[in-house]
Amino acid sequence: MATPLSIIKRSLSTSAVRQATIKNVTIIGGGLMGSGIAQVSAATGHNVTLVELNTDVLKKAQAGIQNSLGRVAKKMFKEKPADGDRFISETLKRLRGVTSAEEGVQDADLVIEAIVENMDVKHKLFKAIDAAAPAKTIFASNTSSLPISEIASVTNRKDRFGGLHFFNPVPVMRLLEVIRIPETNEETYQAMMAWGKAVGKTCVTCKDTPGFIVNRLLVPYMAEAVRMLERGDATARDIDTAMKLGAGYPMGPIELSDYVGLDTTAFIVEGWHKKYPDNPLFAPPEKLRELVKQGKLGMKTGEGFYKHSK
Ligand code: 3HC
């Protein structure tokens, strides 16, 4: 199995084949996913603009990126800390923050949206940036579960629109799902694939279907683990231990739910359940609803299925 260090080294070595057409990348949303995408883009030589609602949130995102870059550099430049410091400062130099999406997309070759999973909010954003961005700019969404076609429907560039779905933690996870909608033109698809490779990811392609590949398989599996817990079949610890030692997963399904965020997992299953009420794989587990209602969202709030220390 590849170690995080080999992943990062691989990521840097592939930066040499960066596609010339995508140089300026704008990420809208500086949460965990948006920050991670901004980080890997800047670390592989792209000029990155990160858009957030205000300077306080921007500062928080930039601090998170700096911290994560520190972890990467520590491993990558174990013997040469000065080179590590240079790597961090050069990466940060390629990263700027702005608070206006319209301003942020002015010179973008590629815009990736990683904001809240709400269709109305996404539509409002894409309408605004469609009017502000140059015609050449490719738009993409990092949505986990909403249809890309529906997000793209408010723009006049459906041929230059697709999905770029990353995984948490972005600097470590090697996969990028590239989603085509029927209108996505070949040039856009090829540019997205080449850019994914340039930021060190292995790209897979999937149609615009619920959950694409990974979440379509992973989310029902995580939900079934919660149902197993509800039935009293096994403890959370034993379910996690079983899947780590018996199936070779790096995390068990219950700890992964806490890691991803119970609100995120719940949002995905609730949305699918509403749309496909007859599919038992998408039935939301009661325990998940309960914990979300109590504000126990997993690692980010300090408690989910487990208690977490910072
Ligand atoms: N930034 C930079 N480097 C990081 C990092 C981050 N945020 N998180 C981990 N790392 C690197 C570091 O090099 C770290 O070493 P360090 O000790 O020097 O910091 C190294 O990874 C190993 O990390 P840890 O020692 O903390 O722990 P693990 O070896 O257990 O690895 C893990 C952590 C990579 C998260 C691993 O447990 C894992 O792969 N878990 C499964 C994650 C997964 O399935 N993600 C997909 C979720 S689904 C999703 O994202 C889709 C969305 O739509 C919901």
Side-chain angles (χ1 to χ4, degrees), residues 178-242:
V178 178
I179 314 304
R180 289 186 88 149
I181 57 173
E183 295 90 344
T184 310
N185 66 30
E186 187 61 22
E187 198 184 329
T188 297
Y189 168 67
Q190 291 300 342
M192 292 195 299
M193 292 292 281
W195 179 78
K197 200 173 166 193
V199 297
K201 303 301 180 195
T202 296
C203 299
V204 293
T205 304
C206 186
K207 285 185 185 167
D208 187 17
T209 53
F212 316 129
I213 299 175
V214 172
N215 281 348
R216 181 64 177 265
L217 296 172
L218 195 60
V219 173
Y221 149 74
M222 284 153 73
E224 184 57 19
V226 179
R227 285 185 214 108
M228 190 176 255
L229 194 61
E230 286 173 340
R231 291 194 297 267
D233 295 347
T235 64
R237 283 273 172 232
D238 282 354
I239 294 169
D240 284 339
T241 300

Side-chain angles (χ1 to χ4, degrees), residues 146-166:
L146 298 175
I148 304 292
S149 280
E150 200 179 329
I151 300 172
S153 65
V154 296
T155 71
N156 290 312
R157 62 180 83 211
K158 295 185 204 68
D159 54 339
R160 283 149 290 146
F161 206 113
L164 289 172
H165 185 225
F166 286 83

Side-chain angles (χ1 to χ4, degrees), residues 4 68 71 75 144 165 167-168 172-173 215 250-251 256 259:
S68 178
R71 297 174 74 176
K75 291 234 149 157
S144 301
H165 185 225
F167 297 86
N168 185 22
V172 178
M173 302 306 282
N215 281 348
M251 280 179 177
L256 183 60
Y259 185 73

